Amino acid sequence: MQDMGFSCRIPCVKPLLNNRQRQKHLAWAKDKKVWTAAEWSKVMFSDESKFCISFGNQGPRVWRKRGEAHNPRCLRSSVKFPQSVMVWGAMSSAGVGPLCFLRSQSNAAIYQEVLEHFMLPAADQLYGDADFIFQQDLAPAHSAKATRTWFKDHGIPVLNWPANSPDLLSIVKRKMRYARPKNAEELKATIRATWALITPEQCHRLIDSMPRRIAAVIQAKGAPTKY
């Protein structure tokens, strides 16, 4: 296998996309391809994700050639909510906001409390009096009528976002790949410490790369990219 150019690697974890979802990703990317890095800097990105206590089980490996890391047959599909601690966080080109640890599965009412007590303070911290656009995924609590009313009442525009997009908090998960917390409290402490290490410069570089990410989605025709 090695003589044929293959090497044994751990599969990249990407959201599993069907053809319809890929077409939606492609249409969204084409709609946003004219956005500049300056325009993306006005977006506050948010995400919710669960963190596992064990980060050691990286699953089976795959045989692939150079340049095939993101070939669909070489990917391992990610699972959105595996187990353990649920975390909400937000970031912009100016840095990261405060983390929120959720005690239960988020519904519309709980999510609006997160927005009130964590998102609004993060917006003040990251944007001051400047206008911003809020990004969130399409979870039921986010798209609920009551939540849409909350955003309207607070005068906050929400960026349309395609389903099954890569997680923002995967940044933290990659940094915690070799962490070995023994319980939920140690896990929370590790997450907080890792989140605090993300610098404004790193956030700025990530936001600055959005035009390249959009171009990559278009080139991949809506399929997963190296990002």
Side-chain angles (χ1 to χ4, degrees), residues 3-162:
D3 290 343
M4 294 172 63
F6 288 91
S7 59
C8 192
R9 306 287 184 180
I10 296 170
C12 296
V13 180
K14 299 284 184 177
L16 181 62
L17 302 177
N18 58 35
N19 185 61
R20 182 180 178 185
Q21 289 167 333
R22 288 196 296 271
Q23 292 304 314
K24 287 187 175 181
H25 278 222
L26 178 59
W28 179 87
K30 287 181 176 179
D31 182 61
K32 298 294 185 293
K33 68 179 181 179
V34 297
W35 280 35
T36 64
E39 288 174 297
W40 284 110
S41 70
K42 298 178 182 178
V43 178
M44 180 193 292
F45 291 86
S46 72
D47 193 20
E48 292 175 20
S49 187
K50 274 195 175 181
F51 285 71
C52 301
I53 287 179
S54 174
F55 289 84
N57 182 14
Q58 297 181 345
R61 292 174 175 256
V62 296
W63 284 94
R64 71 186 190 215
K65 293 182 178 180
R66 183 185 296 273
E68 291 187 335
H70 302 280
N71 186 306
R73 66 180 177 79
C74 298
L75 298 177
R76 178 166 60 91
S77 300
S78 60
V79 179
K80 274 223 166 186
F81 305 113
Q83 57 184 325
S84 209
V85 180
M86 177 69 86
V87 183
W88 179 92
M91 62 163 282
S92 77
S93 62
V96 299
L99 282 180
C100 173
F101 290 93
L102 302 174
R103 295 183 179 179
S104 61
Q105 189 71 26
S106 181
N107 56 33
I110 292 174
Y111 185 57
Q112 288 160 43
E113 290 183 8
V114 173
L115 296 174
E116 192 77 40
H117 300 295
F118 289 88
M119 190 275 279
L120 291 180
D124 289 338
Q125 171 189 327
L126 299 172
Y127 291 95
D129 296 329
D131 293 333
F132 70 96
I133 304 171
F134 185 66
Q135 176 274 334
Q136 60 181 1
D137 63 25
L138 298 179
H142 303 176
S143 56
K145 182 178 179 180
T147 302
R148 296 198 304 270
T149 300
W150 187 95
F151 281 112
K152 183 178 180 180
D153 291 344
H154 287 76
I156 299 172
V158 178
L159 179 71
N160 66 306
W161 197 252

Side-chain angles (χ1 to χ4, degrees), residues 139-199:
H142 303 176
S143 56
K145 182 178 179 180
T147 302
R148 296 198 304 270
T149 300
W150 187 95
F151 281 112
K152 183 178 180 180
D153 291 344
H154 287 76
I156 299 172
V158 178
L159 179 71
N160 66 306
W161 197 252
N164 289 64
S165 296
D167 294 335
L168 165 66
L169 290 169
S170 62
I171 301 169
V172 179
K173 290 180 179 179
R174 286 197 299 272
K175 291 178 178 290
M176 291 177 57
R177 182 175 300 167
Y178 302 108
R180 295 295 183 272
K182 296 182 178 63
N183 52 52
E185 289 307 311
E186 286 189 12
L187 176 60
K188 288 181 180 180
T190 305
I191 294 169
R192 289 191 187 98
T194 306
W195 184 253
L197 291 175
I198 301 175
T199 66

